[in-house]
Amino acid sequence: MTTTKKWVPYLLIALSALLLFIFFLLPFGQLVLYSVWENVPGSNIPLPTFTLQNYYHLLVEEGPYYMKIYANTLRLAAVSTVITFIVAYPLAWYISKKRGMVKSFLIILMMLPMIGGAMIQTLGWIIMLSPIGVINGFLTSLHLIDTPIRFLGAEVGVIIGLIQSYIPMMVLPLVTAMGTLDPNLEDAARSLGAGFFTSFFRVTVPLTLPGAIAGGVLVFLANLTSFVTPQLLGQGKIPVFGTVAYTQGIEVMNYPFASAFALFPMAVLLVGMVLYKLILSFMVRSRQKEGVAV
């Protein structure tokens, strides 16, 4: 019995490693291979001949165009993440103040739209944001606008869809972080003369920063790789990372170039992380040497 218990952790680790190998490392390795193989026009099966033509086309021949797409994706993801945080923080604060069944109900209500997936939510936004949709109809009935606002096929429509899709991913970490706060901290701040906003921004916000960072990272990465929302709400007029990768791989059937296009940001991120680690290690060693010298 003791011997069996001893092997259980190793079996669990082996199972996790096997799943990681099958569902991540193997597809990732295939992606790397495809990126240096030659494309066969009209076929989704590349020719296994080594070539750097895909990267040359990405970085040199059409470099400015694709770099603009990368930059546009980063900008939209950053703007959507910031607005999501602004909207989610008061909502998370309100939910965290509730207790029992009310809090559970509000969390379930907030998570409910995610059950249907991004496709159903985006189709609903198409109806809401169309020229004859609910939003334009409401604004026109109030005589606030004379002509419909163009949401579909514009960045503003994509940003609205992204915010609504991923706001639960921002709210949950914030609710968790706020739930760990001692309520007496706010009372203590107010007893010392701090007003509501002062105690909120100088006590609550700094202490919930880890939750904000966790939610921000989740939402930002989800925005970066989003496909359904930019494709449908952008109506093919807002090229971003996900839509271009899909177009090259599925519609154009140029899997090698689509692989290179997908791998390049990951390579840049990896190099950046390595450089950051090296610089950080150098700074730590320098400070240690200065301390020894003193």
Side-chain angles (χ1 to χ4, degrees), residues 30 33-49 51 54 248-259:
Q30 186 179 26
L33 282 177
Y34 274 20
S35 70
V36 292
W37 283 0
E38 185 178 342
N39 180 52
V40 179
S43 174
N44 58 5
I45 301 176
L47 187 66
T49 303
T51 178
N54 300 309
Q248 292 293 326
I250 304 301
E251 296 181 1
V252 182
M253 289 197 299
N254 190 345
Y255 271 72
F257 179 75
S259 301

Side-chain angles (χ1 to χ4, degrees), residues 106 145 177:
L106 291 175
I145 59 174

